[in-house]
Amino acid sequence: DAKTTQPPSMDCAEGRAANLPCNHSTISGNEYVYWYRQIHSQGPQYIIHGLKNNETNEMASLIITEDRKSSTLILPHATLRDTAVYYCIVLRPSGSARQLTFGSGTQLTVLP
Amino acid sequence: GAVVSQHPSRVICKSGTSVKIECRSLDFQATTMFWYRQFPKQSLMLMATSNEGSKATYEQGVEKDKFLINHASLTLSTLTVTSAHPEDSSFYICSAPQGGSGEKLFFGSGTQLSVL
């Protein structure tokens, strides 16, 4: 699975959009980009995933660059409850259960 | 969405005792579950893969005799920390793939183990 690079921390004002970048320059053609987050002392939570097209769901939007070497997770209107560590993970689906390898992630702090 | 239930959420035990942590998939079957450990201010580290009806697969450096995993049914996996010591104090988290397979995992709420 391709390696990812994320900034260790970011701040965002409450109500503003939070844009979390992820670099995955060695991604291969059949690898997907997954985003999870972990609120303090809880288990991680799936947010969104994509291959090459931009994706949106009720939680967030995922923007993947055309060359797929980087992506951005967007929380359109951040709230205090979005304060968490956000993990970007790149992997190739196998059709069977796969463990996830978590990097160090980005600590997002939403400020009032 | 799918729910993974993990119990207990917190346990404090004396050194030398054993602790069992349960992980249940509530509305789906999971032939595979994953167990992670997380130390303070660190990321999650995979400990083992639990397989229903067969032996678990342990990651390098994880003692299988110390961390006993049992996956006796399609909805329940247990992790038993045997003869716990203070260095085993950590946050333990289980997960299961949605629909039983794939890369989208659902995680339990975690168990904070403190060994005195």
Side-chain angles (χ1 to χ4, degrees):
Chain A
D1 300 329
K3 181 179 162 80
T4 63
T5 303
Q6 298 178 253
S9 64
M10 293 181 63
D11 291 341
C12 175
E14 187 178 18
R16 304 296 293 271
N19 299 289
L20 294 98
C22 180
N23 182 287
H24 32 79
S25 58
T26 61
I27 193 171
S28 61
N30 56 0
E31 288 183 314
Y32 283 67
V33 180
Y34 281 73
W35 283 84
Y36 283 76
R37 73 178 183 184
Q38 185 180 23
I39 296 171
H40 183 62
S41 296
Q42 296 183 24
Q45 175 189 25
Y46 165 83
I47 301 173
I48 199 168
H49 76 280
L51 180 62
K52 55 182 179 181
N53 296 321
N54 298 336
E55 302 287 345
T56 296
N57 62 21
E58 65 279 4
M59 290 184 68
S61 294
L62 174 60
I63 308 298
I64 303 174
T65 58
E66 192 170 343
D67 63 8
R68 303 210 321 124
K69 294 185 176 182
S70 65
S71 61
T72 301
L73 179 73
I74 300 173
L75 308 179
H77 305 287
T79 71
L80 298 179
R81 288 176 294 182
D82 292 322
T83 292
V85 178
Y86 287 77
Y87 298 98
C88 169
I89 301 169
V90 170
L91 52 82
R92 176 177 56 85
S94 65
S96 58
R98 283 277 310 269
Q99 76 274 16
L100 299 179
T101 301
F102 289 84
S104 52
T106 296
Q107 170 66 60
L108 174 68
T109 302
V110 180
L111 304 172
Chain B
V3 176
V4 173
S5 175
Q6 186 175 343
H7 292 280
S9 58
R10 180 179 294 274
V11 59
I12 301 172
C13 69
K14 293 183 178 180
S15 186
T17 61
S18 293
V19 174
K20 179 185 284 188
I21 302 170
E22 292 189 349
C23 181
R24 295 179 186 273
S25 55
L26 294 188
D27 52 0
F28 65 101
Q29 294 181 335
T31 56
T32 301
M33 291 188 181
F34 303 105
W35 287 94
Y36 290 83
R37 180 168 55 182
Q38 185 175 33
F39 292 106
K41 298 189 184 302
Q42 295 186 22
S43 190
L44 290 82
M45 295 296 294
L46 180 69
M47 297 177 65
T49 301
S50 170
N51 302 299
E52 188 268 334
S54 64
K55 291 183 179 180
T57 304
Y58 291 82
E59 295 299 300
Q60 190 172 8
V62 178
E63 299 176 59
K64 61 181 179 181
D65 294 330
K66 180 168 188 61
F67 298 99
L68 300 179
I69 290 174
N70 183 280
H71 195 149
S73 77
L74 289 172
T75 59
L76 174 64
S77 175
T78 61
L79 168 68
T80 301
V81 183
T82 62
S83 186
H85 290 286
E87 58 265 30
D88 298 323
S89 297
S90 187
F91 191 55
Y92 293 86
I93 312 167
C94 68
S95 68
Q98 180 194 33
S101 66
E103 291 68 37
K104 185 176 175 182
L105 297 184
F106 289 95
F107 287 80
S109 54
T111 297
Q112 181 62 54
L113 171 63
S114 299
V115 184
L116 305 178

